[in-house]
Amino acid sequence: MKVSAEDLENRRIALNIEAEAGELDKSLDEAYHHLVKEVSIPGFRKGKAPRVILEQQIGKGALLQEALEHLVPQLYKEAIQSKNLEPIAEPELEITQSEPLIFKAIVSLRPEVKLGDYHNIKLEAGPEIAVTDDEITSAIEKLRREQGAWVPADRAAELGDLVTMSIQANVDEKPWLDHKDILYEMNKDSRSPVPGFASCLQGTEKNKEKNCNLSIPDDYPIEEMRGKEASFRVTISEIKEKELPELNDELAKGAGYSGLEDMKEKVAALLRTRADARNRLELQQKALDALVGMSEVNCPPVLEDEEIDGLLKSEAQRLGFKEIADYVKRAHKTEEEIRQELRPVAKKRLVQGLVLGKLAEQEKIEIGASEVDNRIDEIVGDAEDKEKARQFFSLPQFRQSIEQSLRSQKSMDHLLQIAVGDTKDMTKGE
């Protein structure tokens, strides 16, 4: 076997591999001994027909194909060993000549990441975030609404009501909706069935028909309906309004607090915690963006394609599709069009992950087994069958995924500590 290597861009190498005549002859002989046992040839017992007779029966091309299916992988394996290569994916193979056998293998190698001087990243942590009285009042009002009860209202419908209605709708004069006695909460910002529908129902009296014509926006989820006009015919049979409980100790206790003052204090503390968390996430993203911007990442296209595969599968599952093909069909786009739309997101995620991984390597950030166990405890905390859930998430592939997620988060925390000048060491695991 003869092998020559050619460096390509994006961490790929082209191997040009040429088999010796004897190697192909040996593989053809092995292919003959395999196929002669599988093919029935008149006048010969299985396995006894001469090679020339077998070739006449199945064709020389079929014998050659069988030989190449075994010889090409064998020679490829020997070639990467001879060049001390460690591929991260299956190669792209192209047979340029059959006899003598010459083929090309495009080999994808591990990404190469060179971090910039991240110790020079400097960010201002900013002052402690204050929570306003209006924010606290709004949060408590939300709690009141959650504990409120729907009661009949003897008036026309208003925003915030819960109505029972029958609805018929057409889009461009073609039938779209036809439902009777369904519940609908008239939220001002609702986009169901289309934006503006809830506001259109304002002032509608019980048992009186209401007609609405609404334009469907260009970002509507159903692509074929975008930019068209929907006409609605609605009859409301029942109107209910939310009756809010009084703001007192009884309300607070019903929400799990010891009293009204305790509720106000803990709601304020929760809002501060959430605001601090948002601020921290923003700082982490700024630090990560700075690190990516000063670093060099060189990786093969196959990793970007794998990232797109994951995004495509996740998006299909999020929208309730078991098969990607069904999701693609519903999107009214080709799979390639969708993949191209996802590519920028996939590339950004891939680069960020590779940079964080390199940071973890350089800073010797470790995740201990106990940290993975604690995370599994958190995940299975609300499961009905905790033991079964624990066994599931304790499988090696899930433990590895959890460990990787924890390492990325700890790397982000460590990077932020460097950026804001916090020297506290949180990088060591068990």
Side-chain angles (χ1 to χ4, degrees), residues 90 92 102 186 218 241 385 422:
E90 292 297 316
E92 301 173 39
I102 301 175
M186 293 172 53
D218 292 336
E241 62 184 352
D385 190 338
D422 185 351

Side-chain angles (χ1 to χ4, degrees), residues 44 58 67 102 120 155 202 259 277 293 303 318 320 345-346 386 406:
F44 295 91
I58 66 173
I102 301 175
N120 282 330
R155 53 167 174 74
Q202 277 187 286
L303 292 184
R318 185 183 70 83
V345 178
K386 289 182 172 56
L406 290 173

Side-chain angles (χ1 to χ4, degrees), residues 159-354:
L159 289 174
D161 286 347
L162 178 69
V163 300
T164 302
M165 67 179 185
S166 295
I167 178 174
Q168 289 182 318
N170 295 331
V171 175
D172 278 0
E173 300 182 354
K174 294 180 180 179
W176 175 37
L177 302 176
D178 189 0
H179 302 293
K180 295 186 181 299
D181 299 326
I182 62 171
L183 293 175
Y184 179 75
E185 191 169 347
M186 293 172 53
N187 293 325
K188 180 181 179 182
D189 297 326
S190 174
R191 294 176 62 85
S192 177
V194 297
F197 178 76
S199 297
C200 183
L201 295 185
Q202 277 187 286
T204 303
E205 297 181 359
K206 285 191 291 186
N207 301 318
K208 289 188 177 180
E209 187 176 285
K210 175 75 172 186
N211 294 304
C212 303
N213 292 318
L214 296 170
S215 297
I216 300 174
D218 292 336
D219 61 350
Y220 196 69
I222 304 176
E223 185 177 6
E224 62 266 28
M225 292 175 55
R226 294 173 184 172
K228 296 181 179 180
E229 185 170 282
S231 58
F232 297 90
R233 191 168 65 211
V234 182
T235 301
I236 294 176
S237 58
E238 187 175 23
I239 300 171
K240 291 183 178 181
E241 62 184 352
K242 182 66 73 75
E243 188 175 77
L244 302 182
E246 291 187 26
L247 187 59
N248 53 26
D249 287 339
E250 185 178 351
L251 165 68
K253 290 176 181 178
Y257 301 95
S258 62
L260 184 57
E261 288 305 312
D262 180 52
M263 181 173 74
K264 290 180 179 179
E265 291 175 5
K266 289 181 176 176
V267 165
L270 178 61
L271 290 176
R272 281 193 294 272
T273 299
R274 289 176 176 173
D276 288 340
R278 287 194 300 271
N279 185 49
R280 182 178 179 82
L281 284 174
E282 289 175 4
L283 280 172
Q284 284 181 334
Q285 190 59 54
K286 288 180 180 178
L288 181 56
D289 289 344
L291 178 58
V292 169
M294 64 171 56
S295 301
E296 295 180 17
V297 177
N298 191 7
C299 63
V302 65
L303 292 184
E304 196 172 299
D305 290 334
E306 288 176 359
E307 192 74 29
I308 293 173
D309 290 342
L311 288 172
L312 188 57
K313 184 177 180 180
S314 296
E315 184 66 6
Q317 291 177 342
R318 185 183 70 83
L319 296 174
F321 295 96
K322 292 183 178 179
E323 301 294 335
I324 290 177
D326 295 331
Y327 163 63
V328 171
K329 183 178 180 181
R330 187 68 179 81
H332 299 285
K333 297 177 182 177
T334 65
E335 182 173 338
E336 183 57 31
E337 287 174 336
I338 297 175
R339 292 181 70 87
Q340 289 305 318
E341 291 174 359
L342 293 174
R343 190 167 295 279
V345 178
K347 185 173 183 178
K348 182 177 181 180
R349 281 180 40 159
L350 175 62
V351 169
Q352 288 180 345
L354 291 172

